[in-house]
Amino acid sequence: MMGDRLVDQGALFYEFLLEEHVPGDHMLRSINRFVDLSTVRQHLAPFYSATGRPSVAPELLIRMLLVGYCHGIRSERRLCEEVHLNLAYRWFCRLGLEGEVPGHSTFSKNRHGRFRDSDLLRQVFETVVRRCMAEGLVGGEGFAVDASLIKADASRQEGVEGTKGLPPELSSRAIDEYLAVLDDAAFGAATVVTPKFLSSADPVVRWTGAHGGQAFFAYCTNYLIDLDHAVIVDVEASTTIRQAEVTAAKTMIDRTEERFDLYPERLAGVTAYGSAEMLGWLIHERGIEPHVPVFDKSKRRDGTFSREDFTFDAERDLYTCPQGKVLQQYRRNFKSPRTGITKAGTRLYRASQSDCKDCAFKERCCPNAPARKVPRSIHEGARDIARGIAKTDAYATSRRQRKKVEMLFAHLKRILGLGRLRLRGPCGAHGEFLLAATAQNLRKMAKLIPMPQPAGAT
C-alpha cells in the first residue's frame, strides 16, 4: 500500500535533542573528550576591551577552526556554511539548533589580530600535547624530526628577481612581516644568499624545485614527534633551506624541554640534520644520541685519497698518511697561542713539502698541490660518535620508526588537505601549521583511546 502524500505542515511544538542525533562513533564525539578551552578567556583577557558590544565567543571560533582542520575544510566561508547545516558540527561547537554561526570575516579579524598577538594557537596546541602526555601517549625517550614543503599562496608568474628587490611602492601585511623577520634565524637570517626569486605577495617564501618538477614558492613545516605513538610534541614554520630546518629543530628541542620537561635520549632524522655542527650540538651540548646519517662530503671521486684514508691520532693531534708521514697544524711554536680554526669551523693539517715531493703516492694524494692538506671539523669527534651509533641495532630501529613522521606529513596533505597554504606571511604559516598539528594530535587520541562504554553496556 502506498503511503500518504507528504504535506509541508509545520508543528507548533518540537521535542528535539541534538545530543541524540550525533552518532556515538562520530569522530567529533570522540575528539570532544580531549578539547579543553577553559584557559582561553584568561589568556585572551588583555586583548579585549572592557567596554563595548560583546564579541563572538573565542571558544566558538577555536572549535569551528578545529572542525575545519579535522575534516579538511580549508575555506572559512565554506566552514561557516557547513557548521550552519551539519548537526554534529553544531553539537561540537555548542551552538544548538538556534545558535547563530559567526561570519567568515570574524575569523580574519581574530586570526590576524588577537589570536596572533596573544599566540593563542600555540597555547591551544600545547594544551592538547599535555593531554596526550596525561593519557600516556608520549614516552619522551625517542624523538624524530623532519620537515615537509607546503606550497605558499603565491603565484609563480608574479615573482621578481631577488637581485632587483621588491618595488618600493608595494605595501601589505605579508611585506611588513617579511621586514620583521629579516633577522630571524628560521627565515630571513637563515642564509646570506640572495634568493633567486621573490614573491611580491609573500616575500618570506622561498623559490624551490625540490620536488623535481616545476619550481614553486613554499614554506616548510617542521615536526618534532615522539616515536612511541607519533604524537607531535612541537611544530615550527621555516623557509625551505637546510640551515633553517636545522635551526627549527634546535628551537623545537629547546622549547619542548622548557614547556613539557621532555628530554629525549635519542633523536632520529634524515641526513639534513647530520651536519657536524648539529651533531656536536646534540652530543656535547644536549646529551642526545643522534640516530642520524652523517652529512659528510669529504669523500673524493677522482681516485685520490680521501680523508678517511688518513689515520687521526687524537692524543698527538695529527694525521698519518698511507705512507706513514705526519700531517700537523703547525710545525713551529708561536708566542701567542693560535686556535687554528678557520671560518668554516675546521682545522687544517698539512704535510711537509719535502715529504710529499718524492712520495710514491703523490699522484694519488695531491697531484695538483705541492703538499697534502686535510681539513678536520671541530665537531669531527661528534661525527665519529654518530658513525659508531649507526652500526647499532637501536639505530636500525630508529630508522624504521622515523617513517612515522613521513606518515604524518602524508596525512597532513592528503586527509587534512593542507597541500597549499591559505594565509600569507610567516605568522599565517605558523598559525596554519599549529592548527593542523593540533587536529592531528586530537585525531590520534580519538583513534587510540576508546570511547567509554555507557552504564550497563556489555
Side-chain angles (χ1 to χ4, degrees), residues 157-176:
Q157 287 74 24
E158 296 181 1
V160 297
E161 293 186 18
T163 54
K164 295 181 179 179
L166 295 172
E169 66 273 7
L170 288 180
S171 178
S172 67
R173 181 187 292 109
I175 292 178
D176 293 340

Tab-separated table of all heavy atoms in Angstrom, residues 157-176:
chain	number	residue	atom	x	y	z
A	157	GLN	N	54.017	33.082	-11.466
A	157	GLN	CA	54.164	34.067	-12.535
A	157	GLN	C	54.413	35.480	-12.017
A	157	GLN	O	54.818	36.353	-12.785
A	157	GLN	CB	52.905	34.077	-13.426
A	157	GLN	CG	52.771	32.872	-14.346
A	157	GLN	CD	52.373	31.604	-13.617
A	157	GLN	OE1	51.775	31.674	-12.545
A	157	GLN	NE2	52.707	30.444	-14.179
A	158	GLU	N	54.166	35.731	-10.747
A	158	GLU	CA	54.291	37.081	-10.216
A	158	GLU	C	55.562	37.292	-9.394
A	158	GLU	O	55.666	38.229	-8.622
A	158	GLU	CB	53.067	37.416	-9.363
A	158	GLU	CG	51.763	37.440	-10.164
A	158	GLU	CD	50.569	37.799	-9.310
A	158	GLU	OE1	50.764	38.051	-8.107
A	158	GLU	OE2	49.446	37.830	-9.845
A	159	GLY	N	56.520	36.392	-9.548
A	159	GLY	CA	57.774	36.556	-8.830
A	159	GLY	C	58.669	37.589	-9.492
A	159	GLY	O	58.592	37.829	-10.701
A	160	VAL	N	59.539	38.206	-8.695
A	160	VAL	CA	60.515	39.176	-9.203
A	160	VAL	C	61.905	38.672	-8.869
A	160	VAL	O	62.102	37.922	-7.907
A	160	VAL	CB	60.279	40.573	-8.592
A	160	VAL	CG1	58.935	41.114	-8.992
A	160	VAL	CG2	60.409	40.540	-7.067
A	161	GLU	N	62.892	39.050	-9.646
A	161	GLU	CA	64.259	38.612	-9.402
A	161	GLU	C	64.751	39.138	-8.062
A	161	GLU	O	64.537	40.303	-7.714
A	161	GLU	CB	65.176	39.083	-10.523
A	161	GLU	CG	64.882	38.424	-11.860
A	161	GLU	CD	65.904	38.809	-12.899
A	161	GLU	OE1	66.984	39.288	-12.509
A	161	GLU	OE2	65.621	38.633	-14.097
A	162	GLY	N	65.413	38.249	-7.317
A	162	GLY	CA	65.857	38.616	-5.978
A	162	GLY	C	66.862	39.739	-5.956
A	162	GLY	O	66.904	40.538	-5.014
A	163	THR	N	67.702	39.827	-7.006
A	163	THR	CA	68.717	40.881	-7.038
A	163	THR	C	68.102	42.264	-7.211
A	163	THR	O	68.693	43.269	-6.815
A	163	THR	CB	69.707	40.612	-8.180
A	163	THR	OG1	68.971	40.465	-9.404
A	163	THR	CG2	70.489	39.326	-7.919
A	164	LYS	N	66.917	42.330	-7.820
A	164	LYS	CA	66.260	43.616	-8.033
A	164	LYS	C	65.507	44.085	-6.795
A	164	LYS	O	65.266	45.284	-6.627
A	164	LYS	CB	65.294	43.513	-9.210
A	164	LYS	CG	65.976	43.250	-10.547
A	164	LYS	CD	64.966	43.184	-11.675
A	164	LYS	CE	65.652	42.944	-13.007
A	164	LYS	NZ	64.671	42.865	-14.116
A	165	GLY	N	65.123	43.143	-5.927
A	165	GLY	CA	64.378	43.521	-4.734
A	165	GLY	C	62.920	43.829	-5.051
A	165	GLY	O	62.481	43.781	-6.203
A	166	LEU	N	62.175	44.174	-4.014
A	166	LEU	CA	60.760	44.472	-4.166
A	166	LEU	C	60.559	45.930	-4.567
A	166	LEU	O	61.304	46.808	-4.119
A	166	LEU	CB	60.019	44.204	-2.855
A	166	LEU	CG	59.979	42.740	-2.393
A	166	LEU	CD1	59.381	42.655	-0.998
A	166	LEU	CD2	59.177	41.891	-3.362
A	167	PRO	N	59.551	46.200	-5.388
A	167	PRO	CA	59.251	47.600	-5.729
A	167	PRO	C	58.923	48.391	-4.472
A	167	PRO	O	58.199	47.911	-3.595
A	167	PRO	CB	58.033	47.479	-6.658
A	167	PRO	CG	58.103	46.093	-7.205
A	167	PRO	CD	58.693	45.257	-6.121
A	168	PRO	N	59.435	49.601	-4.334
A	168	PRO	CA	59.218	50.373	-3.102
A	168	PRO	C	57.772	50.749	-2.857
A	168	PRO	O	57.389	51.019	-1.715
A	168	PRO	CB	60.097	51.613	-3.308
A	168	PRO	CG	60.275	51.715	-4.793
A	168	PRO	CD	60.266	50.310	-5.308
A	169	GLU	N	56.944	50.771	-3.899
A	169	GLU	CA	55.554	51.193	-3.693
A	169	GLU	C	54.684	50.083	-3.119
A	169	GLU	O	53.543	50.335	-2.715
A	169	GLU	CB	54.956	51.674	-5.020
A	169	GLU	CG	54.807	50.592	-6.087
A	169	GLU	CD	56.067	50.424	-6.927
A	169	GLU	OE1	57.089	51.057	-6.572
A	169	GLU	OE2	56.017	49.689	-7.928
A	170	LEU	N	55.177	48.829	-3.079
A	170	LEU	CA	54.378	47.728	-2.549
A	170	LEU	C	54.241	47.839	-1.042
A	170	LEU	O	55.189	48.195	-0.336
A	170	LEU	CB	55.014	46.383	-2.904
A	170	LEU	CG	54.921	45.935	-4.371
A	170	LEU	CD1	55.602	44.599	-4.546
A	170	LEU	CD2	53.470	45.857	-4.814
A	171	SER	N	53.071	47.516	-0.547
A	171	SER	CA	52.839	47.533	0.905
A	171	SER	C	51.709	46.558	1.221
A	171	SER	O	50.652	46.585	0.604
A	171	SER	CB	52.465	48.941	1.382
A	171	SER	OG	52.197	48.933	2.769
A	172	SER	N	51.959	45.650	2.167
A	172	SER	CA	50.951	44.689	2.588
A	172	SER	C	51.356	44.118	3.937
A	172	SER	O	52.473	44.350	4.420
A	172	SER	CB	50.795	43.555	1.570
A	172	SER	OG	51.965	42.757	1.532
A	173	ARG	N	50.453	43.362	4.541
A	173	ARG	CA	50.752	42.737	5.830
A	173	ARG	C	51.906	41.749	5.678
A	173	ARG	O	52.783	41.663	6.533
A	173	ARG	CB	49.516	42.027	6.368
A	173	ARG	CG	49.742	41.363	7.729
A	173	ARG	CD	48.567	40.514	8.164
A	173	ARG	NE	47.388	41.307	8.456
A	173	ARG	CZ	46.307	41.340	7.717
A	173	ARG	NH1	46.247	40.621	6.601
A	173	ARG	NH2	45.268	42.085	8.052
A	174	ALA	N	51.900	40.981	4.584
A	174	ALA	CA	52.957	39.997	4.374
A	174	ALA	C	54.322	40.661	4.232
A	174	ALA	O	55.329	40.149	4.719
A	174	ALA	CB	52.643	39.150	3.138
A	175	ILE	N	54.378	41.817	3.558
A	175	ILE	CA	55.653	42.527	3.400
A	175	ILE	C	56.124	43.076	4.743
A	175	ILE	O	57.324	43.047	5.064
A	175	ILE	CB	55.509	43.640	2.355
A	175	ILE	CG1	55.289	43.028	0.966
A	175	ILE	CG2	56.722	44.554	2.360
A	175	ILE	CD1	55.094	44.038	-0.133
A	176	ASP	N	55.212	43.583	5.558
A	176	ASP	CA	55.588	44.055	6.889
A	176	ASP	C	56.163	42.908	7.725
A	176	ASP	O	57.144	43.091	8.470
A	176	ASP	CB	54.363	44.649	7.594
A	176	ASP	CG	53.891	45.931	6.924
A	176	ASP	OD1	54.693	46.548	6.192
A	176	ASP	OD2	52.717	46.308	7.122
